[in-house]
Amino acid sequence: ARERLAHKVAVIERALAARGCGREPARVLAALGGLELAAMAGGFLAAAAHRLPAVVDGFIASVAALVAVRLCPAAREYLVFGHRSAEPGHAHALEALEATPLLALDMRLGEGSGAALAFPLLTAACAMLRDMATFGDAGVTR
């Protein structure tokens, strides 16, 4: 496992050096990321610009979120992490984002499955904040 990781790191470092993009997030994304990563990173930035939360689902989405946060650190406040994938790299992305996902079910299905499972938790949390009586409203004294 360590040899595979070392090989992957070496391949990425060679690709970054060959493209001369350094560590600047937009240049790294342009050099090594696909259109889907750029679109997701842009979506996270757009959500933050409109002060809307965005659910980040899984490893690839977390990598796109990391790019977005490296481009605009304030975007981090608008990201909710749906689940921790079983993919080994996901833990590293979450750590870099200082993120604790809502769920950890060892899934690696993709297709937004973690976000789909996390969304009812977010809906319930919003309902509690909106509808739950305070101690004062409920007449609780001690």
Short mmCIF file of all heavy atoms in Angstrom, two decimals, residues 30-95:
data_model
loop_
_atom_site.label_atom_id
_atom_site.label_comp_id
_atom_site.label_asym_id
_atom_site.label_seq_id
_atom_site.Cartn_x
_atom_site.Cartn_y
_atom_site.Cartn_z
N ALA A 30 -6.47 23.21 -13.55
CA ALA A 30 -6.43 23.26 -15.01
C ALA A 30 -5.48 22.22 -15.59
O ALA A 30 -5.76 21.63 -16.63
CB ALA A 30 -6.02 24.66 -15.47
N ALA A 31 -4.38 21.96 -14.88
CA ALA A 31 -3.38 21.04 -15.40
C ALA A 31 -3.75 19.58 -15.17
O ALA A 31 -3.49 18.73 -16.02
CB ALA A 31 -2.03 21.33 -14.75
N LEU A 32 -4.36 19.27 -14.03
CA LEU A 32 -4.56 17.86 -13.67
C LEU A 32 -6.01 17.46 -13.46
O LEU A 32 -6.32 16.28 -13.43
CB LEU A 32 -3.78 17.54 -12.38
CG LEU A 32 -2.28 17.77 -12.42
CD1 LEU A 32 -1.65 17.40 -11.09
CD2 LEU A 32 -1.63 17.02 -13.56
N GLY A 33 -6.90 18.41 -13.25
CA GLY A 33 -8.29 18.07 -12.96
C GLY A 33 -9.10 17.94 -14.22
O GLY A 33 -8.77 18.49 -15.27
N GLY A 34 -10.18 17.22 -14.11
CA GLY A 34 -11.10 17.10 -15.23
C GLY A 34 -12.18 18.16 -15.16
O GLY A 34 -12.29 18.90 -14.17
N LEU A 35 -12.99 18.20 -16.19
CA LEU A 35 -14.08 19.16 -16.24
C LEU A 35 -15.03 18.98 -15.07
O LEU A 35 -15.55 19.95 -14.52
CB LEU A 35 -14.83 19.03 -17.57
CG LEU A 35 -16.00 19.98 -17.79
CD1 LEU A 35 -15.55 21.44 -17.67
CD2 LEU A 35 -16.65 19.72 -19.13
N GLU A 36 -15.26 17.72 -14.65
CA GLU A 36 -16.20 17.49 -13.54
C GLU A 36 -15.68 18.09 -12.24
O GLU A 36 -16.46 18.64 -11.45
CB GLU A 36 -16.51 16.00 -13.37
CG GLU A 36 -15.38 15.15 -12.84
CD GLU A 36 -14.28 14.79 -13.83
OE1 GLU A 36 -14.35 15.18 -15.01
OE2 GLU A 36 -13.31 14.12 -13.42
N LEU A 37 -14.38 18.04 -12.00
CA LEU A 37 -13.82 18.65 -10.79
C LEU A 37 -13.94 20.17 -10.85
O LEU A 37 -14.31 20.81 -9.86
CB LEU A 37 -12.35 18.27 -10.61
CG LEU A 37 -12.07 16.87 -10.09
CD1 LEU A 37 -10.57 16.61 -10.08
CD2 LEU A 37 -12.66 16.67 -8.72
N ALA A 38 -13.66 20.73 -12.00
CA ALA A 38 -13.79 22.18 -12.16
C ALA A 38 -15.24 22.62 -11.98
O ALA A 38 -15.51 23.63 -11.32
CB ALA A 38 -13.26 22.61 -13.53
N ALA A 39 -16.18 21.86 -12.53
CA ALA A 39 -17.59 22.20 -12.40
C ALA A 39 -18.04 22.13 -10.95
O ALA A 39 -18.76 23.01 -10.46
CB ALA A 39 -18.44 21.28 -13.27
N MET A 40 -17.62 21.08 -10.24
CA MET A 40 -18.01 20.96 -8.83
C MET A 40 -17.38 22.06 -8.00
O MET A 40 -18.06 22.66 -7.14
CB MET A 40 -17.62 19.59 -8.28
CG MET A 40 -18.56 18.49 -8.69
SD MET A 40 -18.26 16.95 -7.79
CE MET A 40 -16.84 16.33 -8.66
N ALA A 41 -16.11 22.36 -8.22
CA ALA A 41 -15.46 23.45 -7.48
C ALA A 41 -16.19 24.76 -7.75
O ALA A 41 -16.46 25.53 -6.82
CB ALA A 41 -13.98 23.55 -7.86
N GLY A 42 -16.54 25.00 -8.99
CA GLY A 42 -17.29 26.20 -9.33
C GLY A 42 -18.66 26.23 -8.68
O GLY A 42 -19.13 27.28 -8.23
N GLY A 43 -19.30 25.08 -8.60
CA GLY A 43 -20.60 24.99 -7.94
C GLY A 43 -20.50 25.32 -6.46
O GLY A 43 -21.35 26.04 -5.91
N PHE A 44 -19.45 24.83 -5.80
CA PHE A 44 -19.26 25.14 -4.38
C PHE A 44 -18.98 26.63 -4.18
O PHE A 44 -19.49 27.24 -3.24
CB PHE A 44 -18.13 24.30 -3.79
CG PHE A 44 -18.43 22.82 -3.74
CD1 PHE A 44 -17.46 21.90 -4.11
CD2 PHE A 44 -19.67 22.35 -3.33
CE1 PHE A 44 -17.73 20.53 -4.06
CE2 PHE A 44 -19.95 20.99 -3.28
CZ PHE A 44 -18.97 20.08 -3.65
N LEU A 45 -18.20 27.22 -5.09
CA LEU A 45 -17.93 28.65 -4.99
C LEU A 45 -19.19 29.47 -5.25
O LEU A 45 -19.44 30.48 -4.57
CB LEU A 45 -16.82 29.04 -5.97
CG LEU A 45 -15.43 28.52 -5.62
CD1 LEU A 45 -14.46 28.75 -6.77
CD2 LEU A 45 -14.92 29.13 -4.34
N ALA A 46 -19.99 29.04 -6.21
CA ALA A 46 -21.24 29.76 -6.51
C ALA A 46 -22.21 29.67 -5.33
O ALA A 46 -22.86 30.66 -4.98
CB ALA A 46 -21.89 29.19 -7.77
N ALA A 47 -22.30 28.50 -4.71
CA ALA A 47 -23.17 28.36 -3.54
C ALA A 47 -22.73 29.33 -2.44
O ALA A 47 -23.56 30.03 -1.86
CB ALA A 47 -23.15 26.92 -3.03
N ALA A 48 -21.44 29.37 -2.18
CA ALA A 48 -20.93 30.27 -1.13
C ALA A 48 -21.18 31.73 -1.50
O ALA A 48 -21.57 32.53 -0.65
CB ALA A 48 -19.43 30.03 -0.91
N ALA A 49 -21.00 32.07 -2.76
CA ALA A 49 -21.23 33.45 -3.20
C ALA A 49 -22.68 33.86 -2.98
O ALA A 49 -22.96 35.04 -2.73
CB ALA A 49 -20.85 33.61 -4.68
N HIS A 50 -23.59 32.90 -3.05
CA HIS A 50 -25.01 33.17 -2.83
C HIS A 50 -25.44 32.84 -1.40
O HIS A 50 -26.63 32.82 -1.10
CB HIS A 50 -25.86 32.38 -3.83
CG HIS A 50 -25.77 32.91 -5.22
ND1 HIS A 50 -24.79 32.52 -6.11
CD2 HIS A 50 -26.50 33.84 -5.85
CE1 HIS A 50 -24.96 33.18 -7.23
NE2 HIS A 50 -25.99 33.99 -7.11
N ARG A 51 -24.46 32.58 -0.54
CA ARG A 51 -24.70 32.27 0.88
C ARG A 51 -25.65 31.09 1.05
O ARG A 51 -26.53 31.09 1.90
CB ARG A 51 -25.21 33.50 1.61
CG ARG A 51 -24.22 34.66 1.56
CD ARG A 51 -24.76 35.92 2.16
NE ARG A 51 -25.38 35.68 3.46
CZ ARG A 51 -24.92 36.12 4.63
NH1 ARG A 51 -23.86 36.86 4.65
NH2 ARG A 51 -25.56 35.85 5.74
N LEU A 52 -25.44 30.06 0.22
CA LEU A 52 -26.24 28.84 0.27
C LEU A 52 -25.37 27.66 0.69
O LEU A 52 -24.24 27.54 0.22
CB LEU A 52 -26.84 28.54 -1.10
CG LEU A 52 -27.85 29.55 -1.63
CD1 LEU A 52 -28.18 29.26 -3.09
CD2 LEU A 52 -29.10 29.53 -0.76
N PRO A 53 -25.89 26.79 1.53
CA PRO A 53 -25.10 25.60 1.88
C PRO A 53 -25.05 24.63 0.71
O PRO A 53 -25.96 24.59 -0.13
CB PRO A 53 -25.88 25.00 3.05
CG PRO A 53 -27.27 25.47 2.87
CD PRO A 53 -27.18 26.83 2.21
N ALA A 54 -23.97 23.86 0.65
CA ALA A 54 -23.83 22.82 -0.36
C ALA A 54 -23.40 21.54 0.34
O ALA A 54 -22.52 21.57 1.20
CB ALA A 54 -22.78 23.23 -1.40
N VAL A 55 -24.02 20.43 -0.03
CA VAL A 55 -23.66 19.13 0.55
C VAL A 55 -22.55 18.54 -0.31
O VAL A 55 -22.69 18.41 -1.53
CB VAL A 55 -24.86 18.18 0.60
CG1 VAL A 55 -24.44 16.82 1.16
CG2 VAL A 55 -25.97 18.78 1.46
N VAL A 56 -21.44 18.22 0.33
CA VAL A 56 -20.29 17.62 -0.34
C VAL A 56 -20.39 16.12 -0.13
O VAL A 56 -20.46 15.64 1.00
CB VAL A 56 -18.97 18.16 0.25
CG1 VAL A 56 -17.77 17.56 -0.47
CG2 VAL A 56 -18.94 19.68 0.17
N ASP A 57 -20.39 15.38 -1.22
CA ASP A 57 -20.62 13.94 -1.15
C ASP A 57 -19.41 13.15 -1.64
O ASP A 57 -19.15 13.11 -2.83
CB ASP A 57 -21.84 13.57 -1.99
CG ASP A 57 -22.12 12.09 -1.95
OD1 ASP A 57 -22.43 11.58 -0.86
OD2 ASP A 57 -22.01 11.43 -3.00
N GLY A 58 -18.69 12.55 -0.74
CA GLY A 58 -17.65 11.60 -1.11
C GLY A 58 -16.30 12.20 -1.47
O GLY A 58 -16.06 13.40 -1.33
N PHE A 59 -15.43 11.33 -1.94
CA PHE A 59 -14.03 11.66 -2.17
C PHE A 59 -13.83 12.70 -3.27
O PHE A 59 -13.21 13.74 -3.05
CB PHE A 59 -13.26 10.37 -2.49
CG PHE A 59 -11.81 10.57 -2.78
CD1 PHE A 59 -11.03 11.43 -2.03
CD2 PHE A 59 -11.21 9.86 -3.80
CE1 PHE A 59 -9.68 11.59 -2.30
CE2 PHE A 59 -9.86 10.01 -4.07
CZ PHE A 59 -9.10 10.88 -3.33
N ILE A 60 -14.35 12.44 -4.45
CA ILE A 60 -14.11 13.35 -5.58
C ILE A 60 -14.71 14.72 -5.29
O ILE A 60 -14.08 15.76 -5.55
CB ILE A 60 -14.66 12.75 -6.89
CG1 ILE A 60 -13.98 11.42 -7.20
CG2 ILE A 60 -14.50 13.73 -8.05
CD1 ILE A 60 -12.46 11.49 -7.31
N ALA A 61 -15.92 14.75 -4.75
CA ALA A 61 -16.54 16.03 -4.41
C ALA A 61 -15.73 16.75 -3.34
O ALA A 61 -15.63 17.98 -3.36
CB ALA A 61 -17.97 15.82 -3.94
N SER A 62 -15.13 16.01 -2.41
CA SER A 62 -14.30 16.64 -1.38
C SER A 62 -13.03 17.23 -1.97
O SER A 62 -12.56 18.28 -1.52
CB SER A 62 -13.96 15.63 -0.27
OG SER A 62 -15.13 15.27 0.43
N VAL A 63 -12.47 16.59 -2.98
CA VAL A 63 -11.31 17.15 -3.67
C VAL A 63 -11.70 18.45 -4.36
O VAL A 63 -10.98 19.45 -4.29
CB VAL A 63 -10.71 16.12 -4.66
CG1 VAL A 63 -9.65 16.76 -5.54
CG2 VAL A 63 -10.13 14.93 -3.90
N ALA A 64 -12.87 18.46 -5.01
CA ALA A 64 -13.35 19.69 -5.65
C ALA A 64 -13.61 20.76 -4.59
O ALA A 64 -13.30 21.94 -4.80
CB ALA A 64 -14.62 19.40 -6.44
N ALA A 65 -14.15 20.37 -3.44
CA ALA A 65 -14.39 21.33 -2.35
C ALA A 65 -13.07 21.89 -1.84
O ALA A 65 -12.97 23.08 -1.52
CB ALA A 65 -15.16 20.66 -1.22
N LEU A 66 -12.04 21.05 -1.78
CA LEU A 66 -10.73 21.51 -1.33
C LEU A 66 -10.17 22.55 -2.30
O LEU A 66 -9.63 23.58 -1.87
CB LEU A 66 -9.77 20.33 -1.19
CG LEU A 66 -8.38 20.63 -0.66
CD1 LEU A 66 -8.42 21.32 0.69
CD2 LEU A 66 -7.57 19.33 -0.56
N VAL A 67 -10.34 22.33 -3.59
CA VAL A 67 -9.91 23.33 -4.57
C VAL A 67 -10.67 24.63 -4.34
O VAL A 67 -10.08 25.72 -4.30
CB VAL A 67 -10.13 22.83 -6.02
CG1 VAL A 67 -9.89 23.94 -7.02
CG2 VAL A 67 -9.22 21.65 -6.32
N ALA A 68 -11.99 24.53 -4.16
CA ALA A 68 -12.81 25.73 -3.94
C ALA A 68 -12.34 26.49 -2.70
O ALA A 68 -12.21 27.72 -2.73
CB ALA A 68 -14.28 25.34 -3.81
N VAL A 69 -12.07 25.76 -1.63
CA VAL A 69 -11.66 26.40 -0.38
C VAL A 69 -10.25 26.99 -0.50
O VAL A 69 -9.97 28.06 0.06
CB VAL A 69 -11.75 25.40 0.80
CG1 VAL A 69 -11.10 25.93 2.06
CG2 VAL A 69 -13.22 25.07 1.06
N ARG A 70 -9.39 26.34 -1.27
CA ARG A 70 -8.05 26.91 -1.48
C ARG A 70 -8.14 28.19 -2.32
O ARG A 70 -7.36 29.10 -2.15
CB ARG A 70 -7.13 25.90 -2.16
CG ARG A 70 -6.81 24.68 -1.30
CD ARG A 70 -5.61 24.91 -0.43
NE ARG A 70 -5.42 23.92 0.60
CZ ARG A 70 -4.75 22.78 0.47
NH1 ARG A 70 -4.23 22.45 -0.69
NH2 ARG A 70 -4.62 21.97 1.50
N LEU A 71 -9.13 28.25 -3.22
CA LEU A 71 -9.33 29.46 -4.01
C LEU A 71 -10.00 30.56 -3.20
O LEU A 71 -9.70 31.74 -3.36
CB LEU A 71 -10.19 29.16 -5.25
CG LEU A 71 -9.50 28.35 -6.34
CD1 LEU A 71 -10.52 27.86 -7.36
CD2 LEU A 71 -8.41 29.18 -7.01
N CYS A 72 -10.93 30.18 -2.32
CA CYS A 72 -11.69 31.14 -1.52
C CYS A 72 -11.97 30.51 -0.16
O CYS A 72 -12.98 29.81 0.01
CB CYS A 72 -13.00 31.49 -2.23
SG CYS A 72 -14.04 32.60 -1.26
N PRO A 73 -11.09 30.74 0.82
CA PRO A 73 -11.26 30.10 2.14
C PRO A 73 -12.62 30.33 2.78
O PRO A 73 -13.14 29.47 3.50
CB PRO A 73 -10.14 30.71 2.98
CG PRO A 73 -9.08 31.06 1.97
CD PRO A 73 -9.85 31.50 0.75
N ALA A 74 -13.27 31.46 2.51
CA ALA A 74 -14.59 31.74 3.11
C ALA A 74 -15.66 30.76 2.63
O ALA A 74 -16.68 30.60 3.29
CB ALA A 74 -15.01 33.17 2.79
N ALA A 75 -15.43 30.09 1.51
CA ALA A 75 -16.40 29.12 1.00
C ALA A 75 -16.59 27.95 1.96
O ALA A 75 -17.65 27.31 1.96
CB ALA A 75 -15.97 28.62 -0.38
N ARG A 76 -15.60 27.68 2.79
CA ARG A 76 -15.67 26.53 3.71
C ARG A 76 -16.89 26.60 4.62
O ARG A 76 -17.48 25.57 4.97
CB ARG A 76 -14.37 26.46 4.54
CG ARG A 76 -14.35 25.41 5.64
CD ARG A 76 -14.50 24.02 5.07
NE ARG A 76 -14.59 23.03 6.12
CZ ARG A 76 -15.72 22.68 6.74
NH1 ARG A 76 -16.88 23.26 6.42
NH2 ARG A 76 -15.72 21.75 7.67
N GLU A 77 -17.29 27.80 5.01
CA GLU A 77 -18.43 27.98 5.92
C GLU A 77 -19.74 27.45 5.34
O GLU A 77 -20.68 27.19 6.09
CB GLU A 77 -18.63 29.46 6.24
CG GLU A 77 -17.51 30.07 7.04
CD GLU A 77 -17.78 31.55 7.30
OE1 GLU A 77 -18.92 31.88 7.71
OE2 GLU A 77 -16.86 32.35 7.06
N TYR A 78 -19.82 27.30 4.04
CA TYR A 78 -21.06 26.91 3.38
C TYR A 78 -21.09 25.43 3.00
O TYR A 78 -22.07 24.98 2.41
CB TYR A 78 -21.29 27.79 2.15
CG TYR A 78 -21.45 29.23 2.55
CD1 TYR A 78 -20.36 30.09 2.58
CD2 TYR A 78 -22.68 29.70 2.97
CE1 TYR A 78 -20.50 31.40 2.99
CE2 TYR A 78 -22.84 31.02 3.39
CZ TYR A 78 -21.74 31.85 3.40
OH TYR A 78 -21.88 33.15 3.83
N LEU A 79 -20.06 24.68 3.36
CA LEU A 79 -19.98 23.28 2.98
C LEU A 79 -20.40 22.37 4.13
O LEU A 79 -19.94 22.52 5.26
CB LEU A 79 -18.55 22.94 2.54
CG LEU A 79 -17.99 23.76 1.39
CD1 LEU A 79 -16.56 23.37 1.11
CD2 LEU A 79 -18.86 23.62 0.15
N VAL A 80 -21.28 21.42 3.80
CA VAL A 80 -21.71 20.38 4.73
C VAL A 80 -21.26 19.06 4.12
O VAL A 80 -21.54 18.79 2.94
CB VAL A 80 -23.24 20.39 4.90
CG1 VAL A 80 -23.69 19.26 5.82
CG2 VAL A 80 -23.72 21.73 5.41
N PHE A 81 -20.58 18.25 4.89
CA PHE A 81 -20.01 17.01 4.37
C PHE A 81 -20.94 15.84 4.70
O PHE A 81 -21.19 15.55 5.86
CB PHE A 81 -18.59 16.82 4.91
CG PHE A 81 -17.68 17.90 4.40
CD1 PHE A 81 -17.66 19.15 5.00
CD2 PHE A 81 -16.94 17.70 3.26
CE1 PHE A 81 -16.87 20.17 4.49
CE2 PHE A 81 -16.15 18.72 2.74
CZ PHE A 81 -16.11 19.95 3.36
N GLY A 82 -21.47 15.22 3.66
CA GLY A 82 -22.49 14.19 3.82
C GLY A 82 -22.00 12.91 4.44
O GLY A 82 -22.63 12.36 5.34
N HIS A 83 -20.86 12.39 3.94
CA HIS A 83 -20.39 11.12 4.49
C HIS A 83 -18.89 10.96 4.26
O HIS A 83 -18.28 11.65 3.45
CB HIS A 83 -21.15 9.95 3.86
CG HIS A 83 -20.68 9.58 2.49
ND1 HIS A 83 -19.92 8.48 2.24
CD2 HIS A 83 -20.88 10.17 1.30
CE1 HIS A 83 -19.67 8.39 0.94
NE2 HIS A 83 -20.24 9.42 0.35
N ARG A 84 -18.31 10.04 5.02
CA ARG A 84 -16.90 9.66 4.88
C ARG A 84 -16.87 8.40 4.04
O ARG A 84 -17.38 7.36 4.44
CB ARG A 84 -16.26 9.39 6.25
CG ARG A 84 -14.82 8.91 6.16
CD ARG A 84 -14.25 8.58 7.52
NE ARG A 84 -14.38 9.72 8.43
CZ ARG A 84 -13.50 10.72 8.53
NH1 ARG A 84 -12.43 10.72 7.76
NH2 ARG A 84 -13.69 11.70 9.38
N SER A 85 -16.28 8.49 2.88
CA SER A 85 -16.15 7.37 1.97
C SER A 85 -15.13 6.37 2.49
O SER A 85 -14.25 6.71 3.28
CB SER A 85 -15.71 7.89 0.60
OG SER A 85 -15.28 6.85 -0.23
N ALA A 86 -15.22 5.15 2.01
CA ALA A 86 -14.23 4.13 2.33
C ALA A 86 -12.94 4.33 1.53
O ALA A 86 -11.94 3.67 1.80
CB ALA A 86 -14.80 2.74 2.06
N GLU A 87 -12.95 5.24 0.55
CA GLU A 87 -11.74 5.52 -0.23
C GLU A 87 -10.66 6.08 0.69
O GLU A 87 -10.91 7.04 1.42
CB GLU A 87 -12.05 6.55 -1.33
CG GLU A 87 -12.92 6.03 -2.44
CD GLU A 87 -12.24 4.96 -3.27
OE1 GLU A 87 -10.99 4.96 -3.36
OE2 GLU A 87 -12.95 4.13 -3.82
N PRO A 88 -9.46 5.52 0.67
CA PRO A 88 -8.40 5.97 1.59
C PRO A 88 -8.07 7.46 1.47
O PRO A 88 -7.82 8.13 2.47
CB PRO A 88 -7.19 5.11 1.21
CG PRO A 88 -7.78 3.90 0.55
CD PRO A 88 -9.04 4.37 -0.12
N GLY A 89 -8.10 8.00 0.27
CA GLY A 89 -7.76 9.41 0.08
C GLY A 89 -8.78 10.37 0.66
O GLY A 89 -8.47 11.54 0.91
N HIS A 90 -9.99 9.89 0.89
CA HIS A 90 -11.04 10.78 1.38
C HIS A 90 -10.71 11.30 2.77
O HIS A 90 -10.96 12.47 3.07
CB HIS A 90 -12.39 10.07 1.37
CG HIS A 90 -13.54 11.01 1.52
ND1 HIS A 90 -14.76 10.63 1.98
CD2 HIS A 90 -13.65 12.35 1.29
CE1 HIS A 90 -15.58 11.67 2.02
NE2 HIS A 90 -14.92 12.72 1.60
N ALA A 91 -10.14 10.47 3.61
CA ALA A 91 -9.77 10.93 4.96
C ALA A 91 -8.78 12.08 4.89
O ALA A 91 -8.88 13.04 5.66
CB ALA A 91 -9.18 9.77 5.76
N HIS A 92 -7.85 12.04 3.94
CA HIS A 92 -6.87 13.11 3.78
C HIS A 92 -7.54 14.41 3.32
O HIS A 92 -7.21 15.49 3.80
CB HIS A 92 -5.77 12.69 2.80
CG HIS A 92 -4.99 11.52 3.28
ND1 HIS A 92 -4.09 11.59 4.33
CD2 HIS A 92 -4.97 10.24 2.86
CE1 HIS A 92 -3.56 10.40 4.53
NE2 HIS A 92 -4.07 9.56 3.65
N ALA A 93 -8.47 14.29 2.38
CA ALA A 93 -9.18 15.48 1.90
C ALA A 93 -10.01 16.10 3.02
O ALA A 93 -10.01 17.32 3.20
CB ALA A 93 -10.07 15.13 0.71
N LEU A 94 -10.70 15.26 3.79
CA LEU A 94 -11.50 15.76 4.91
C LEU A 94 -10.63 16.44 5.96
O LEU A 94 -10.99 17.48 6.50
CB LEU A 94 -12.31 14.63 5.53
CG LEU A 94 -13.45 14.08 4.68
CD1 LEU A 94 -14.00 12.80 5.29
CD2 LEU A 94 -14.54 15.11 4.49
N GLU A 95 -9.47 15.86 6.21
CA GLU A 95 -8.55 16.46 7.19
C GLU A 95 -8.07 17.82 6.70
O GLU A 95 -8.03 18.79 7.47
CB GLU A 95 -7.36 15.53 7.41
CG GLU A 95 -6.39 16.02 8.45
CD GLU A 95 -5.24 15.05 8.67
OE1 GLU A 95 -5.47 13.83 8.64
OE2 GLU A 95 -4.11 15.53 8.87
#
